[in-house]
Amino acid sequence: VRLFYDSYISSDLIFIGDSHTEAGHVAEEDTFVQLTAQRLGVVARNLGRIQYCPGEELVVLKEYGLPCEPRTVVWQICEHNDLWEQASYEQWLTADSPSIYGTLSPRIDAWKRRSPTWRLFDLCCEHDPWPFAATFTDDTGAEHRTLFGNFPSIHQCPVDHPGWRPIAACLSEGARLLQEKNIRLVVVLIPMKIRVMGDYVTFVPETLRRMRAEWDIPDDKTFSRSLQAVCDSLQISFVDATPHLRHLTENGKMVFPPFDTHLSPLGNKAIAAMIVPIIAGDSQKQALESSRLR
């Protein structure tokens, strides 16, 4: 009964998104969800879930977000994997939603995961180094070995990508549902780690051998450009965190941890700092309009 009640408790502010919103790698009070709620003095509910794509996040909004009767919804989009995960989700729906669990892993794999002897042996083995690595020098002069997931590819470029149109459709449907209930929507894009830090690190030789001369995505083909156009057409607020996170990185701030592609506590703080003025500004506008109607 308590779980059912908690699922629908009233909240001023709802966050939907993937692992960047869930933020299970940092303390709850350090997430941009709680930082935003604290600064605004409101109740927030974190409905982020690891590996969810916009199609699944729309389901979460309908089933668990709207019953909370929020005044504002923040919808986090991930540049790194939302396009290809949305495409995979569409294929899953087309295939009539088959079971995602499949068969159990072989017993030998299960034994390796449980065996301390095997894990010690594996730890002692020489492994190939991670191919996407660099050194980052922070504002104190300390050097940090930093790992990246990969370089940008077609899976971070919406142009002609099969995942883009479904994402745009999800945002459009979500915006319509919220506008009907007079609920504000703010869309926030979290960029790839390497697109934030790539110009401010020294790549290791192995990574340099794998890099293209022009490894980044042209500005007019970025996820940000396409999202901005959709949000403008829907008249909803859009926050691209890329420029601000790059600025902090240029000044030696670690907005991503060395060995993780999710935001550091400082990165979460930066996201909250971008969201708060938008929500606060919208609240002030709404209050002013209400006073004029009286």
Side-chain angles (χ1 to χ4, degrees):
V1 174
R2 178 60 184 273
L3 288 174
F4 178 82
Y5 172 76
D6 283 348
S7 297
Y8 296 98
I9 190 169
S10 178
S11 301
D12 302 298
L13 185 57
I14 296 294
F15 286 79
I16 59 175
D18 59 14
S19 53
H20 287 284
T21 295
E22 186 179 28
H25 61 295
V26 298
E28 185 174 1
E29 60 269 22
D30 290 332
T31 65
F32 62 77
V33 173
Q34 291 304 319
L35 290 171
T36 300
Q38 180 182 13
R39 294 179 188 180
L40 291 172
V42 300
V43 176
R45 189 165 183 81
N46 188 339
L47 297 179
R49 180 67 167 83
I50 184 172
Q51 293 185 338
Y52 272 18
C53 66
E56 294 163 298
E57 291 152 11
L58 178 61
V59 175
V60 170
L61 174 64
K62 293 177 180 178
E63 295 295 324
Y64 301 101
L66 292 179
C68 295
E69 300 180 345
R71 289 184 289 179
T72 304
V73 170
V74 177
W75 193 335
Q76 172 256 309
I77 302 295
C78 177
E79 181 180 44
H80 177 72
N81 57 10
D82 266 355
L83 281 168
W84 64 263
E85 286 194 348
Q86 183 67 44
S88 297
Y89 181 64
E90 296 298 320
Q91 292 175 352
W92 179 73
L93 292 175
T94 302
D96 200 24
S97 309
S99 172
I100 61 174
Y101 295 103
T103 59
L104 295 176
S105 61
R107 293 183 64 183
I108 186 65
D109 292 338
W111 171 78
K112 288 179 179 180
R113 289 194 299 270
R114 295 195 305 268
S115 170
T117 304
W118 175 267
R119 285 183 290 175
L120 178 60
F121 167 76
D122 186 58
L123 183 64
C124 293
C125 291
E126 184 175 348
H127 297 278
D128 292 334
W130 187 252
F132 309 108
T135 299
F136 174 70
T137 303
D138 67 22
D139 55 354
T140 70
E143 294 185 347
H144 305 268
R145 178 173 170 81
T146 301
L147 303 184
F148 302 98
N150 60 333
F151 281 98
S153 70
I154 59 171
H155 292 303
Q156 286 78 44
C157 180
V159 180
D160 298 325
H161 195 287
W164 168 242
R165 286 190 178 182
I167 288 177
C170 289
L171 290 173
S172 180
E173 182 177 353
R176 177 183 58 80
L177 290 172
L178 294 173
Q179 288 168 354
E180 289 175 353
K181 297 180 178 294
N182 199 29
I183 300 171
R184 298 187 300 275
L185 174 60
V186 180
V187 174
V188 179
L189 175 67
I190 305 295
M192 289 181 76
K193 179 179 181 178
I194 198 165
R195 294 200 64 243
V196 170
M197 300 186 68
D199 290 334
Y200 311 108
V201 298
T202 302
F203 290 105
V204 300
E206 175 62 24
T207 303
L208 289 173
R209 284 194 292 269
R210 294 170 177 263
M211 290 176 63
R212 304 185 308 271
E214 300 294 334
W215 58 266
D216 203 358
I217 302 172
D219 183 68
D220 62 337
K221 296 182 179 179
T222 59
F223 207 163
S224 173
R225 184 66 68 89
S226 295
L227 280 174
Q228 181 73 69
V230 168
C231 290
D232 287 347
S233 68
L234 297 171
Q235 296 183 316
I236 55 179
S237 299
F238 172 63
V239 176
D240 176 12
T242 311
H244 185 46
L245 294 180
R246 280 179 174 167
H247 174 72
L248 292 172
T249 302
E250 183 180 12
N251 285 277
K253 305 297 184 182
M254 295 193 67
V255 295
F256 290 92
F259 300 146
D260 200 334
T261 57
H262 295 89
L263 295 165
S264 67
L266 179 60
N268 275 271
K269 188 175 181 180
I271 300 299
M274 288 182 273
I275 296 173
V276 168
I278 293 176
I279 298 176
D282 286 345
S283 298
Q284 292 171 357
K285 289 178 183 178
Q286 192 175 54
L288 180 60
E289 291 174 357
S290 298
S291 65
R292 287 174 176 172
L293 294 173
R294 292 194 185 100

